[in-house]
Amino acid sequence: MKSLEIRKSITEKSKALDPTLHNKAMTQQKLKEKIEFQKQKEQEYKERLDEIKDKLKDRPFLFERVSMDTARLSADKVFKKALTDAGIDTSLINDLSRFEDDSLMY
């Protein structure tokens, strides 16, 4: 009976001092930390991706931007031709528009 208690006591103490059990616990803890860190990073990535998608959703496609630029340049060309046909100097209008833009900034 006494030897059984001693054996049980020795087994418990050896388990407490066993470095492999301690290492397993540490490994499990590190694994949990890494999983949590990975989940956090994944969540941040998804949030960032959603922000980018929202920003791009409101932005026109490239072909739409090219069409808008082409239309603007065409309108500018027609406007300048009309001014030139009327005998108005386009540099004067450019100077006036810059002056108005500068006054709006202040």
Side-chain angles (χ1 to χ4, degrees):
M1 189 85 162
K2 186 94 166 153
S3 66
L4 187 61
E5 288 177 17
I6 293 173
R7 193 178 302 171
K8 201 183 247 188
S9 173
I10 291 172
T11 305
E12 288 175 4
K13 288 179 182 178
S14 66
K15 282 184 180 178
L17 296 174
D18 189 8
T20 58
L21 293 177
H22 180 68
N23 288 342
K24 284 181 184 178
M26 289 299 291
T27 304
Q28 289 295 326
Q29 179 65 26
K30 286 182 182 180
L31 182 62
K32 284 182 183 179
E33 290 174 3
K34 284 184 180 183
I35 290 172
E36 278 297 315
F37 181 74
Q38 182 122 9
K39 285 181 182 178
Q40 180 183 0
K41 283 294 187 183
E42 188 175 330
Q43 182 65 28
E44 290 172 5
Y45 173 76
K46 285 180 181 179
E47 289 172 3
R48 179 70 176 133
L49 190 61
D50 288 341
E51 288 175 12
I52 292 171
K53 284 181 180 179
D54 288 343
K55 190 183 283 186
L56 290 176
K57 184 173 49 176
D58 298 333
R59 192 173 173 181
F61 291 113
L62 179 61
F63 68 89
E64 291 173 325
R65 288 186 287 175
V66 169
S67 296
M68 289 168 34
D69 288 343
T70 304
R72 183 182 46 80
L73 290 174
S74 177
D76 284 348
K77 191 175 181 180
V78 169
F79 183 69
K80 284 181 183 180
K81 184 176 180 336
L83 289 177
T84 307
D85 290 347
I88 300 173
D89 187 18
T90 57
S91 62
L92 175 64
I93 293 181
N94 288 337
D95 292 341
L96 287 174
S97 68
R98 279 193 217 118
F99 176 73
E100 286 179 5
D101 289 342
D102 290 342
S103 67
L104 291 175
M105 292 175 79
Y106 299 108

